[in-house]
Amino acid sequence: MQQLQKSERPHIAFFGCTNSGKSSLVNAIVNQNLSIVSDVKGTTTDSVSKSMEILPLGPVVIIDTAGVNDLSELGEQRTQKTKEVLDKTDIAVLVIDSLVGENEFDKNLISEFEMRKIPYLVVWNKVDLLISPPLEGGVLQVSALTGDGVNELKEKIGHLINENKKEKFIIKNRLQAGDIVIMVIPIDESAPKGRIILPQQNTLREILDAHATAICCGVNELEDILKKVTPKYVITDSQAFNEVKKIVPENIILTSFSILMANYKGELDILVNGAKKISELKDGDKVLISEGCTHHRQCNDIGTVKLPSWIKKYTNKNIEFEFTQGGEFPQDLSKFALIVHCGGCMLNEAEMKSRLKKANEQNIPIVNYGMAIAYMNGILERSMEIFRNE
């Protein structure tokens, strides 16, 4: 909790053709050998990313991508991986070789940035090798070899970050000093040993930042605590919704960490509509369950065990399930009747919204874990009451 999580840092990705000097420029910016460099085209074979603190940018994620003009069969796969980086890019930097000039690949990337509304910079590298004529004025020129223009590039990236920074909160903006919030955190076989998960950490921090009081407990302790205090909110782990709803009085707002994360990183309307589609599932339908993080599956894992069981029990249908995790998310979603996604705490906002956009464009309903569980427990409307005045 002492460092800004990767998912909360601006993701700055460097794009361009092979041998344009992307990797050398990245190394010059971060002042270390983040990427392997070589005169051989295509040295960067896959995207390389690293969370760093860089002055004057602050905490960021730097991503170096493979060249987009490798036309070999393997190169096409690399190019596809590079394009997938666009899904999580907050700021794009297009690197052009000054000795070669702009080409169709560069123009296509610019069109892609503009279509996705990704803020971007175009930088001309290797200007130290130019003899004549000089580049036109107003062009951002750098030399990864000599360092000329690198600080100016950093300043411009920093300006773009600040210009596009949005202040968002999980719960802090709904609290006043002195409010009491009960956080229900079940400790069972699927709970991570020795720690609490990221949405719970971040929610707790925001409660403290608001000078409110957080009370953390398990399900078994909740009833006794409610006899002693009247909280403004009760926030539960989604898996415990069914038990917690029976304990918390109707006059107290009840929601889940997953639903708060849906509002923080997603589009509530899309996810609410996705929840309602659970009732329409039919025998033989395929449901994709997707997690944004990569972790060791527990014997009673929520994504691969509990959710499929709950959905089958609720629908009483023979549903088929497929699973993805981490950066894996299908481009073609047409075979799925529904997507059930995690809260996305390990994905940055850009990547989470990109996944929602893909599903929406292909007319595939999508819902997150918390909303799906709340809907199947008949308390989706109640769990959304916290957003009623928005």
Side-chain angles (χ1 to χ4, degrees):
M1 293 182 69
Q2 294 176 342
Q3 297 181 342
L4 189 64
Q5 293 95 6
K6 184 176 181 180
S7 60
E8 299 297 320
R9 297 170 180 244
H11 285 48
I12 305 165
F14 289 73
F15 300 90
C17 292
T18 54
N19 218 32
S20 62
K22 295 187 307 301
S23 298
S24 296
L25 184 55
V26 166
N27 289 345
I29 287 174
V30 304
N31 200 29
Q32 61 178 268
N33 292 326
L34 176 64
S35 299
I36 298 173
V37 296
S38 166
D39 291 332
V40 178
K41 289 187 176 183
T43 301
T44 304
T45 58
D46 204 350
S47 299
V48 178
S49 68
K50 188 171 183 179
S51 299
M52 311 189 76
E53 301 267 348
I54 304 174
L55 293 175
L57 307 182
V60 296
V61 175
I62 297 291
I63 307 173
D64 182 19
T65 65
V68 293
N69 59 328
D70 186 343
L71 301 179
S72 67
E73 184 176 345
L74 182 58
E76 287 182 12
Q77 296 177 35
R78 292 171 181 166
T79 300
Q80 181 57 42
K81 288 292 184 183
T82 292
K83 289 182 177 178
E84 288 175 7
V85 171
L86 287 165
D87 291 341
K88 56 187 172 187
T89 298
D90 294 305
I91 305 291
V93 179
L94 173 60
V95 182
I96 296 176
D97 186 338
S98 297
L99 301 175
V100 177
E102 187 181 57
N103 57 36
E104 289 303 311
F105 295 100
D106 299 319
K107 292 176 182 177
N108 289 339
L109 277 169
I110 290 173
S111 296
E112 191 77 21
F113 300 154
E114 292 178 346
M115 181 189 72
R116 293 170 176 254
K117 299 181 180 178
I118 299 173
Y120 69 93
L121 294 170
V122 177
V123 56
W124 293 68
N125 193 20
K126 304 184 184 179
V127 293
D128 57 296
L129 300 179
L130 287 177
I131 301 175
S132 63
L135 294 172
E136 296 179 3
V139 174
L140 185 55
Q141 306 176 42
V142 302
S143 167
L145 181 63
T146 66
D148 289 344
V150 170
N151 285 334
E152 183 186 358
L153 174 58
K154 284 185 182 181
E155 294 286 349
K156 288 187 178 295
I157 294 172
H159 179 73
L160 271 185
I161 290 173
N162 291 328
E163 199 174 64
N164 292 275
K165 188 180 293 182
K166 296 173 290 184
E167 190 172 47
K168 294 188 69 177
F169 299 105
I170 299 171
I171 196 170
K172 181 181 175 182
N173 56 322
R174 297 178 176 85
L175 293 171
Q176 295 179 345
D179 285 342
I180 297 174
V181 181
I182 296 179
M183 299 171 56
V184 184
I185 306 173
I187 303 299
D188 54 24
E189 72 275 13
S190 60
K193 187 176 181 180
R195 62 183 176 88
I196 60 175
I197 62 175
L198 200 54
Q200 296 163 359
Q201 292 179 27
N202 291 349
T203 303
L204 175 58
R205 178 55 195 255
E206 287 199 10
I207 294 169
L208 298 176
D209 284 343
H211 302 285
T213 298
I215 299 175
C216 301
C217 68
V219 178
N220 293 337
E221 295 76 39
L222 178 59
E223 191 168 1
D224 284 340
I225 291 172
L226 286 171
K227 292 175 182 177
K228 300 170 185 175
V229 298
T230 301
K232 183 172 184 179
Y233 303 123
V234 173
I235 308 169
T236 181
D237 185 286
S238 298
Q239 298 182 63
F241 250 143
N242 190 44
E243 299 168 89
V244 172
K245 72 172 184 178
K246 299 171 184 176
I247 301 171
V248 179
E250 290 287 339
N251 64 314
I252 296 174
I253 294 176
L254 170 64
T255 193
S256 76
F257 297 103
S258 185
I259 288 174
L260 290 175
M261 292 301 296
N263 181 65
Y264 182 59
K265 291 192 176 181
E267 302 286 347
L268 278 179
D269 290 344
I270 292 175
L271 296 167
V272 169
N273 290 334
K276 295 174 182 176
K277 293 293 182 180
I278 297 174
S279 296
E280 300 175 18
L281 291 173
K282 304 182 297 293
D283 285 329
D285 277 346
K286 287 186 171 65
V287 171
L288 172 66
I289 296 184
S290 183
E291 290 198 1
C293 61
T294 304
H295 64 271
H296 175 68
R297 302 291 192 186
Q298 301 289 330
C299 60
N300 212 11
D301 181 69
I302 183 172
T304 56
V305 179
K306 290 182 178 179
L307 270 168
S309 175
W310 290 334
I311 291 172
K312 284 184 176 181
K313 182 178 179 181
Y314 179 81
T315 61
N316 198 28
K317 303 294 182 183
N318 184 24
I319 310 296
E320 298 179 27
F321 294 91
E322 292 189 15
F323 307 93
T324 64
Q325 60 178 332
E328 185 185 358
F329 192 76
Q331 296 295 313
D332 182 4
L333 302 166
S334 58
K335 66 180 177 179
F336 300 111
L338 177 68
I339 301 165
V340 184
H341 203 287
C342 71
C345 64
M346 299 302 291
L347 305 178
N348 68 338
E349 183 181 349
E351 187 167 9
M352 191 65 231
K353 287 192 171 179
S354 172
R355 294 185 177 194
L356 293 176
K357 186 170 182 282
K358 285 177 185 176
N360 199 40
E361 288 176 345
Q362 296 179 49
N363 294 316
I364 308 299
I366 182 168
V367 63
N368 85 346
Y369 287 11
M371 288 187 169
I373 295 168
Y375 179 78
M376 289 186 287
N377 281 284
I379 56 169
L380 180 60
E381 185 175 341
R382 181 183 178 187
S383 67
M384 298 288 290
E385 187 181 345
I386 191 171
F387 309 120
R388 184 165 291 170
N389 295 325
E390 293 187 356

